[in-house]
Amino acid sequence: MAAPGTEAAAGPGTGTGPGQVTSSNGAAGVGTGAGTGTESPPGQQQPPPAPNAWQVVKGVLFRIFIIWAISSWFRRAPTPQESDGDGNGARSPSRNLFPKDTLMDLHVYISEHEHFTDFNLSSALFWEKRDLVYGDWSSGENSDGCYEHAGEVDISQSVQRNGSIYVHVYFTKSGFHPDPRQKSLYRRLATVHTSRMINKYKRRRFQKTKNLLTGETEADPEMIKRAEDFGPVEVISHWHPNLTINMVDDHTPWVRGSVPPPLDQYVKFDALSGDYFPIVYFNDYWNLQRDYFPINESVRRLPLRLSFCPLSLWRWQLYAAQSARSPWHFLGHELYEQSDEEQDSVKVALLETNPYLLALTIVVSIVHSVFEFLAFKNDIQFWNSRQSLEGLSVRSVFFGVFQSLVVLLYILDNETNVVVQLSVLVGLLIDLWKITKVMDVRLDRERRLAGLVPRPRFTDKSTYVESSTKVYDDMAFRYLSWILFPLLGCYAVYSLLWLEHKGWYSWVLSMLYGFLLTFGFITMTPQLFINYKLQSVAHLPWRMLTYKALNTFIDDLFAFVIKMPMMYRIGCLRDDVVFFIYLYQRWIYRVDPTRVNEFGGTGETPAPPAPPAPPPARPEPPEPRKKKD
């Protein structure tokens, strides 16, 4: 079985020879897919629903920021300009070997070999188009410079069994032939050649699940057999019937060795003349992953529709940037690559979403990310500077640690993206750090675990014990247990009876994870109870709560504008209800500015001292009277 990414899974000497090609002109539009994507067989744990446009835009913006930040550390120094052969300093700018309005011919061959030499095999020629004009944007059926050709490709058993198939594209100046063996018709500088493997290898994962009580499963027996033969991860060759061949309309005087990445991967220079060939780009960006279908022994002929279109330089730069590999790919494929669902969601959002709504989504996503960062920063500052625990629920901090631990173990058991795993791990470490702020943690070296590791010892802080908060906190969680434990028991029974799992460990994790997602909002209520008992909300981190509430309101807005699961919408509304109760408590439990705090001060602004009264003015002496004559 061919491994994904191999260039010649069906190289020379394998298979039954090149695939037979039959073709006919077609007028079907580009973008329609034949067949459907691979469906999950029954019995597998169903994957989570595809992310919506709101989540995808946030994820894309986050990835752009992370890639930019990390790439700045590994950015390569500017490549020194190479000197020319005569040692006269820097290289001079190159020119395009195909000038503007050059007449050219297009030859497209389909083969199972990476290196094509069967020019005389007529069945390998899929499309031939003569007298194309380089840089022409007004010809074609739709007056946009585009031409289409549709046909079918006969495949051999090698391709049916996960072999590779390639497309070889040749552009020659009119009157020339791409076969180097025809000396009179072949010119090296008049021929542009590029090739690509057009089938795509995709992984299909199979998780063997069953009902833990009965041992039965609804999985397809054939899928179970394939999982036993090929393992839990099977690599399958897939096909998409559409491919666009773009020739970039560009005459930039590129300098060899100074082309910026990722464009340098596509600009090919001639070793002798120093000039560069026209840029030919295979464009499959708008091919949705859901339109790929598997190639197996039941498929004898593959539909293929090729399109030729000119492409401007700036649009080619956008496509090249999207398809370029990350400069830090050595950290692992799963770390930086998007899933198929995320890729499709981005493309569907760009194709189907109103441009104004899409722009608004991007702006609000940036604001949402800023609020998340501010809430994170203020939460750390609040707990780092907090001296008294009066009014704060310590038990909620421990429950937050338990919740973060369950989420981390669940996503590790389900092989989630590494970025998600790291983010959850960081959140767990922060929650563990909070424990050191709400309790005195010491290591008991006299009592060791297994006689080796000192046992951690937790004691309540004096500001928590001496206040009435501990009493109210215990009371709140006692009332809360009357609701949580029965719900947990019912949900555990439901999950055990009606759902399939890989094992008992997976059942415990999935049951706890689903329970926390459904009823986790109840754990926010102990703080409401403490506020009610203390008749005060002055102890809460209001800045952090405000940023989180603003994010929740943004989620509410897009939860009803964009298609989302109903449980997600209900969860947003439940968080809003809790926050509105916080706001109501703040309104009725107003802070008394005249109350003296633990430092002996009040919230009132002291009145400035009255200025001293001016001394009374002395009376002036009366003027002397004049004598009368």
Side-chain angles (χ1 to χ4, degrees):
M1 182 174 61
T6 52
E7 294 293 338
T14 62
T16 58
Q20 188 75 13
V21 178
T22 60
S23 62
S24 61
N25 290 324
V30 178
T32 58
T36 58
T38 307
E39 299 180 357
S40 299
Q44 295 189 48
Q45 286 186 342
Q46 294 296 328
N52 52 71
W54 163 238
Q55 295 172 327
V56 167
V57 171
K58 285 181 59 182
V60 170
L61 292 175
F62 176 76
R63 283 180 173 84
I64 291 175
F65 172 76
I66 294 297
I67 291 175
W68 170 83
I70 297 184
S71 299
S72 62
W73 291 94
F74 301 99
R75 189 170 297 159
R76 296 179 298 179
T79 305
Q81 293 185 348
E82 301 178 8
S83 61
D84 55 16
D86 299 333
N88 296 327
R91 291 181 180 272
S92 59
S94 304
R95 64 181 179 87
N96 195 329
L97 288 170
F98 280 44
K100 185 76 172 179
D101 298 329
T102 299
L103 284 179
M104 56 187 185
D105 300 333
L106 169 65
H107 310 265
V108 180
Y109 298 90
I110 305 295
S111 173
E112 297 180 17
H113 305 285
E114 182 182 5
H115 303 286
F116 183 72
T117 57
D118 298 327
F119 292 96
N120 296 327
L121 189 63
S122 59
S123 59
L125 181 61
F126 183 78
W127 186 19
E128 187 176 43
K129 184 70 177 178
R130 297 188 179 275
D131 296 331
L132 295 172
V133 180
Y134 182 34
D136 180 17
W137 293 78
S138 58
S139 61
E141 297 180 359
N142 300 320
S143 300
D144 55 358
C146 296
Y147 297 88
E148 295 181 0
H149 180 77
E152 289 186 334
V153 180
D154 290 340
I155 59 176
S156 64
Q157 293 183 354
S158 174
V159 178
Q160 292 176 341
R161 298 172 181 175
N162 270 11
S164 301
I165 186 169
Y166 297 86
V167 58
H168 299 269
V169 177
Y170 294 85
F171 286 94
T172 61
K173 294 182 180 180
S174 292
F176 294 96
H177 195 274
D179 189 0
R181 292 171 294 186
Q182 300 187 19
K183 302 296 184 181
S184 60
L185 298 177
Y186 175 78
R187 293 293 184 275
R188 178 177 55 84
L189 297 181
T191 305
V192 183
H193 166 241
T194 184
S195 62
R196 176 179 172 175
M197 184 175 64
I198 49 179
N199 62 311
K200 181 177 181 179
Y201 291 100
K202 302 175 67 175
R203 294 180 177 88
R204 180 168 63 182
R205 300 181 182 275
F206 181 84
Q207 293 184 349
K208 189 175 181 180
T209 61
K210 61 181 179 180
N211 189 293
L212 298 180
L213 296 180
T214 62
E216 299 178 354
T217 180
E218 298 180 0
D220 187 359
E222 181 180 354
M223 294 302 302
I224 297 177
K225 184 178 183 302
R226 293 185 66 89
E228 294 175 351
D229 296 338
F230 300 102
V233 179
E234 183 180 6
V235 178
I236 300 178
S237 177
H238 284 70
W239 180 265
H240 197 287
N242 297 326
L243 181 64
T244 300
I245 304 171
N246 288 133
M247 177 169 276
V248 181
D249 185 11
D250 172 54
H251 296 274
T252 302
W254 299 109
V255 178
R256 186 174 184 179
S258 299
V259 182
L263 308 185
D264 56 348
Q265 304 175 15
Y266 303 94
V267 182
K268 300 178 181 179
F269 291 87
D270 179 63
L272 299 180
S273 66
D275 297 326
Y276 65 91
F277 293 94
I279 302 168
V280 179
Y281 179 71
F282 291 107
N283 191 351
D284 60 353
Y285 180 78
W286 300 108
N287 289 352
L288 300 181
Q289 300 296 324
R290 65 190 182 192
D291 294 333
Y292 283 85
F293 60 90
I295 302 176
N296 50 40
E297 295 181 355
S298 63
V299 179
R300 302 296 179 89
R301 311 180 78 183
L302 297 174
L304 179 61
R305 179 168 55 253
L306 293 179
S307 302
F308 166 76
C309 292
L311 187 65
S312 61
L313 176 62
W314 72 272
R315 291 188 63 182
W316 170 61
Q317 290 175 329
L318 293 178
Y319 287 128
Q322 289 291 330
S323 60
R325 298 189 66 183
S326 171
W328 44 292
H329 63 275
F330 55 85
L331 296 179
H333 174 82
E334 296 295 334
L335 182 60
Y336 67 93
E337 288 292 339
Q338 292 179 314
S339 65
D340 293 345
E341 291 78 10
E342 290 175 333
Q343 294 178 7
D344 274 8
S345 298
V346 173
K347 298 172 186 177
V348 171
L350 294 175
L351 290 173
E352 300 180 358
T353 307
N354 184 284
Y356 297 102
L357 179 59
L358 186 62
L360 177 63
T361 303
I362 295 176
V363 172
V364 175
S365 299
I366 296 175
V367 176
H368 193 283
S369 301
V370 172
F371 285 161
E372 284 183 343
F373 172 76
L374 293 175
F376 169 76
K377 178 181 73 70
N378 283 275
D379 190 26
I380 293 180
Q381 288 180 347
F382 173 82
W383 287 103
N384 191 38
S385 60
R386 189 70 180 178
Q387 300 296 329
S388 175
L389 296 178
E390 184 176 1
L392 297 176
S393 176
V394 174
R395 289 175 176 265
S396 296
V397 176
F398 278 88
F399 192 86
V401 174
F402 170 74
Q403 184 171 354
S404 300
L405 180 61
V406 170
V407 173
L408 178 62
L409 294 177
Y410 177 79
I411 62 176
L412 289 176
D413 186 58
N414 289 272
E415 300 179 357
T416 318
N417 188 283
V418 179
V419 174
V420 178
Q421 296 175 2
L422 291 177
S423 62
V424 175
L425 177 60
V426 171
L428 175 60
L429 295 177
I430 293 175
D431 290 337
L432 290 173
W433 169 78
K434 286 182 181 180
I435 293 181
T436 64
K437 307 301 294 185
V438 299
M439 299 196 76
D440 292 326
V441 182
R442 295 183 178 86
L443 294 178
D444 190 353
R445 302 186 182 278
E446 297 180 358
R447 300 180 180 180
R448 296 177 177 267
L449 296 174
L452 299 174
V453 182
R455 185 189 303 270
R457 185 177 181 182
F458 301 93
T459 56
D460 293 324
K461 289 184 177 292
S462 58
T463 56
Y464 180 69
V465 176
E466 296 172 359
S467 65
S468 56
T469 305
K470 178 176 174 58
V471 179
Y472 299 146
D473 201 7
D474 294 341
M475 188 183 304
F477 267 86
R478 184 170 65 252
Y479 296 155
L480 186 63
S481 63
W482 298 349
I483 302 175
L484 280 180
F485 290 137
L487 289 176
L488 178 61
C490 295
Y491 191 85
V493 172
Y494 163 78
S495 177
L496 190 61
L497 291 177
W498 300 102
L499 301 181
E500 296 184 5
H501 305 278
K502 293 183 293 184
W504 290 101
Y505 175 74
S506 296
W507 167 73
V508 172
L509 290 180
S510 61
M511 181 267 298
L512 291 177
Y513 181 74
F515 176 78
L516 292 175
L517 287 183
T518 308
F519 304 105
F521 76 100
I522 302 179
T523 60
M524 303 170 63
T525 56
Q527 188 63 59
L528 296 176
F529 182 78
I530 294 176
N531 299 340
Y532 165 72
K533 287 294 185 179
L534 294 178
Q535 300 289 296
S536 174
V537 292
H539 45 270
L540 296 179
W542 281 105
R543 286 188 178 181
M544 182 268 294
L545 291 175
T546 302
Y547 291 132
K548 285 189 175 181
L550 291 175
N551 280 343
T552 303
F553 295 150
I554 294 175
D555 291 338
D556 290 338
L557 173 65
F558 284 91
F560 291 92
V561 172
I562 299 174
K563 184 179 180 181
M564 289 187 179
M566 183 58 63
M567 289 303 298
Y568 183 87
R569 296 177 175 178
I570 295 176
C572 291
L573 289 178
R574 289 183 307 209
D575 294 342
D576 289 341
V577 171
V578 174
F579 183 73
F580 278 123
I581 297 176
Y582 277 120
L583 291 180
Y584 175 72
Q585 288 183 334
R586 179 163 186 169
W587 180 66
I588 61 175
Y589 306 144
R590 300 189 178 184
V591 178
D592 184 7
T594 63
R595 185 172 57 187
V596 178
N597 59 16
E598 64 272 19
F599 302 105
T602 65
E604 288 185 331
T605 303
R618 292 183 179 181
E620 296 182 358
E623 296 181 358
R625 295 182 180 180
K626 295 182 179 181
K627 294 182 180 181
K628 294 182 180 180
D629 295 338

